[in-house]
Amino acid sequence: MKIKKLDSFMQGVFLISALISVMAIILIGIFVFGGGIPFIAEYGLSNFLLGEKWTPSNTPAAFGILPMIIGSVTVTLGAIVIGVPVGVLTAVFMAEFCPTKLYKVLKPAVNLMAAIPSIVYGFFALQLIVPFMRRLFGGTGMNMLTVILLLGIMILPTIIGMSESAIRAVPKSYYSGSLALGASHERSIMKVSLPAAKSGVLSSVILGIGRAIGETMAVVLVAGNQPRIPDSLTQGVRTLTTNIVLEMSYATGQHREALIATAVVLFGFILVINGIFLLIKRKEAIR
Amino acid sequence: MSKVTIKELNLFYGKFQALHNINLPILKNEITAFIGPSGCGKSTLIKSLNRMNDLVEGCTISGEVKMDDENIYAKECNINLLRKRVGMVFQQPNPFPMSIYDNIAYGPRTHGIKNKQIVDELVEKSLRKAAIWEEVKDDLKKNALSLSGGQQQRICIARALAVDPEVLLMDEPTSALDPISTAKIEELVIGLKKDYTLVIVTHNMQQASRISDKTAFFLNGKIIEYDETRKIFTNPKKQETEDYISGRFG
């Protein structure tokens, strides 16, 4: 009898814990969408998404976030171009080539990379990448390439960690099957083991995209933050996230609502990315 | 004629001696069966014929394995080339998670055959030899993992044959399969011996007696008896052999 009571009590505790996170997500959704949708309805969806001017202090004010959408998408794609090859090859190295001694250093180092606060990354970029860019292209050194390099580094731990475990999860029998046909170690891994891990690797890329598009504090330090459509990679850029963080502290009225609506768009991006992630996972489960 | 000759082979896993002074000929165009209880060393020996034991950490070997006249444990031996000449089929069917076509084409492509027409021909020829062409010819693009276990194992045999090996090693190739698939593979194996030299490890003594020409009986890392299969199963010379094949242990 006693045990039964304890059981149902504990069940309640678990249920409440689970509900807290679900509630949090629902509340965030209500707050963000509730705050942003009325503005979008009033200002017009296409004016908002496709407007090229962001001049909140003009009269009349303009709230077009196309420059920021383009900025976010471009730096994210750039980060993927840099981070995915480096990350996946590092994962291959760590799973299949790395001597044990080196692994004992490398693995904690990658884990540490994931734990470093993003502002520290931003500071690192400010000290190292920005002067480098300034010397290379002139100007302030705060441009899209700087952000791309920075984000490319920041998504590495996500990509390395997940890809490595995906590669390790590939049955060893594929590898030995390939060796037994006379293929070299390298060929067996690159042509058999790595392709067999592709859905895990793809998942890591999707999560990396999510990380890159959502990054704020590091980006705001080095992006230049001009709200205009950049026409080259050596120009400054403002992303959706930095747009919010730069102006939220003093925005009021419609300006404030426009920033919350920016968060709605960001939220939409993240939902799509997670949706793709879930689809990949489900496809893998069916197989 | 002896295709592979094993001479005074000792094999250690760390300090544990898994094989003791093995001397054995593997005759050309014959099927040699290795039988014996679990842990007797028969799988270890078959894996030392294509040096898959190299993957096992702490595995050391003394003695000689000669293929034709070449010692495969000599320093100058090219292991990848050796494994092309000595194919292997594993206990668990292990087709790669790719299409049937790509599975078979993998080996030839590995060894530098790029011409699509030649690869196409090799794929068809290998699948025919492995007696599975008729079943899969219409969906070569299908993922090999979607096939049944017996079909997968024949895909693996075809994959091994596609690199044109001289010797084919089979490590309990039917132990994960149902009786009908087993019968198909046995029939196939018998047909293969006119072109290849085969070694098969099996737990199934009926299988050994049905398909092999020579049988070696292993116990505790030693070969107790080696002879023509017929003699081993009707008139064994050693008491242990007789005890094992009559089912008194193992």
Side-chain angles (χ1 to χ4, degrees):
Chain A
M1 206 50 207
K2 231 179 179 175
I3 291 175
K4 227 176 181 178
K5 256 185 192 161
L6 186 69
D7 264 3
S8 53
F9 172 72
M10 285 314 289
Q11 218 164 33
V13 172
F14 295 138
L15 184 66
I16 290 168
S17 318
L19 283 181
I20 287 176
S21 50
V22 174
M23 283 305 290
I25 259 293
I26 291 173
L27 283 176
I28 291 171
I30 290 175
F31 169 76
V32 171
F33 284 94
I37 300 245
F39 168 82
I40 296 177
E42 191 193 317
Y43 191 75
L45 183 64
S46 66
N47 287 344
F48 181 56
L49 290 182
L50 303 176
E52 296 180 16
K53 280 217 159 65
W54 177 267
T55 48
S57 42
N58 285 10
T59 33
F63 300 106
I65 59 163
L66 187 64
M68 282 68 103
I69 292 179
I70 291 176
S72 275
V73 170
T74 315
V75 296
T76 301
L77 287 180
I80 293 304
V81 168
I82 291 180
V84 169
V86 175
V88 172
L89 291 180
T90 307
V92 168
F93 175 75
M94 286 176 69
E96 304 284 358
F97 293 90
C98 189
T100 323
K101 270 188 188 158
L102 184 57
Y103 187 79
K104 281 185 183 151
V105 182
L106 209 52
K107 182 72 183 168
V110 171
N111 286 341
L112 186 63
M113 268 183 94
I116 293 173
S118 56
I119 191 76
V120 176
Y121 276 101
F123 197 63
F124 151 79
L126 199 57
Q127 294 288 316
L128 211 79
I129 306 178
V130 168
F132 178 69
M133 287 292 167
R134 199 182 298 142
R135 205 172 309 153
L136 222 56
F137 302 108
T140 59
M142 298 189 180
N143 57 38
M144 285 176 99
L145 271 183
T146 316
V147 180
I148 285 170
L149 268 181
L150 169 67
L151 289 177
I153 294 169
M154 289 185 74
I155 62 174
L156 283 180
T158 311
I159 292 178
I160 294 172
M162 276 187 70
S163 297
E164 189 202 341
S165 34
I167 295 165
R168 282 190 190 276
V170 171
K172 280 277 166 277
S173 61
Y174 296 162
Y175 171 75
S176 35
S178 170
L179 276 196
L181 289 168
S184 64
H185 178 62
E186 292 77 11
R187 184 175 166 88
S188 303
I189 286 160
M190 297 312 283
K191 296 283 177 178
V192 177
S193 298
L194 184 58
K198 68 168 180 266
S199 77
V201 172
L202 206 57
S203 300
S204 83
V205 173
I206 302 285
L207 284 192
I209 292 176
R211 170 114 212 239
I213 207 166
E215 183 49 49
T216 315
M217 289 321 292
V219 174
V220 77
L221 285 186
V222 299
N225 301 318
Q226 300 89 331
R228 53 137 201 255
I229 297 176
D231 46 37
S232 94
L233 288 178
T234 55
Q235 284 190 341
V237 65
R238 182 183 288 203
T239 64
L240 290 167
T241 53
T242 52
N243 189 41
I244 301 170
V245 80
L246 282 165
E247 299 180 2
M248 203 58 176
S249 56
Y250 62 85
T252 53
Q254 210 187 15
H255 183 194
R256 187 183 161 84
E257 282 171 20
L259 292 178
I260 297 176
T262 310
V264 170
V265 175
L266 193 61
F267 207 94
F269 271 108
I270 297 290
L271 284 180
V272 170
I273 290 165
N274 273 2
I276 296 172
F277 179 74
L278 283 181
L279 271 181
I280 293 172
K281 283 277 157 207
R282 189 170 311 160
K283 215 175 134 196
E284 187 179 22
I286 289 169
R287 211 184 59 188
Chain B
M1 200 181 85
S2 179
K3 178 74 188 169
V4 179
T5 316
I6 304 162
K7 257 190 204 159
E8 292 168 17
L9 185 78
N10 290 287
L11 185 145
F12 296 82
Y13 291 132
K15 288 210 170 92
F16 172 74
Q17 185 164 10
L19 293 174
H20 298 261
N21 193 31
I22 303 290
N23 289 286
L24 189 71
I26 309 279
L27 299 188
K28 199 172 177 178
N29 295 102
E30 286 200 351
I31 300 174
T32 305
F34 293 175
I35 62 169
S38 298
C40 66
K42 56 195 191 303
S43 282
T44 300
L45 183 62
I46 203 174
K47 276 192 269 173
S48 47
L49 301 182
N50 65 344
R51 297 193 57 171
M52 286 302 273
N53 271 333
D54 290 11
L55 300 185
V56 182
E57 219 165 299
C59 175
T60 47
I61 280 176
S62 71
E64 245 183 28
V65 177
K66 274 194 170 166
M67 188 166 156
D68 297 328
D69 276 325
E70 232 178 289
N71 181 8
I72 68 169
Y73 282 96
K75 266 209 188 87
E76 62 274 13
C77 172
N78 178 336
I79 299 182
N80 295 337
L81 198 61
L82 167 74
R83 290 186 184 138
K84 177 187 177 299
R85 295 174 66 193
V86 185
M88 185 165 214
V89 175
F90 296 78
Q91 181 174 2
Q92 287 291 335
N94 62 346
F96 303 135
M98 41 178 101
S99 71
I100 295 169
Y101 182 94
D102 287 334
N103 260 281
I104 312 302
Y106 181 81
R109 283 171 181 159
T110 296
H111 296 288
I113 298 176
K114 296 277 188 301
N115 183 312
K116 183 163 185 322
Q117 202 186 338
I118 298 177
V119 175
D120 282 352
E121 280 166 18
L122 268 172
V123 168
E124 179 176 343
K125 200 175 103 192
S126 309
L127 288 169
R128 279 188 193 283
K129 273 190 185 170
I132 190 166
W133 172 252
E134 292 302 324
E135 289 161 62
V136 300
K137 65 178 177 192
D138 294 325
D139 29 31
L140 293 178
K141 293 273 163 265
K142 209 163 105 179
N143 191 317
L145 294 182
S146 64
L147 300 173
S148 74
Q151 288 174 320
Q152 288 188 15
Q153 194 62 302
R154 278 178 286 149
I155 291 290
C156 291
I157 294 173
R159 187 176 70 184
L161 296 180
V163 296
D164 195 24
E166 297 156 40
V167 180
L168 192 59
L169 309 174
M170 309 181 101
D171 189 359
E172 298 184 44
T174 62
S175 66
L177 304 181
D178 64 88
I180 294 171
S181 306
T182 300
K184 272 190 186 154
I185 291 196
E186 286 183 7
E187 193 187 340
L188 158 67
V189 168
I190 293 172
L192 288 176
K193 76 175 174 182
K194 66 178 196 308
D195 297 321
Y196 305 94
T197 301
L198 292 111
V199 182
I200 182 166
V201 167
T202 177
H203 264 294
N204 179 333
M205 278 172 288
Q206 284 78 33
Q207 183 169 69
S209 68
R210 275 194 299 263
I211 67 176
S212 71
D213 302 293
K214 300 284 193 300
T215 295
F217 170 60
F218 287 69
L219 196 61
N220 300 328
K222 299 186 182 90
I223 292 183
I224 303 297
E225 192 167 348
Y226 165 79
D227 211 329
E228 279 179 30
T229 298
R230 193 173 38 84
K231 282 188 189 156
I232 291 269
F233 282 95
T234 55
N235 190 15
K237 291 194 189 71
K238 296 272 173 61
Q239 187 61 42
E240 291 105 314
T241 316
E242 191 178 345
D243 288 350
Y244 182 72
I245 59 173
S246 59
R248 246 168 275 173
F249 74 97

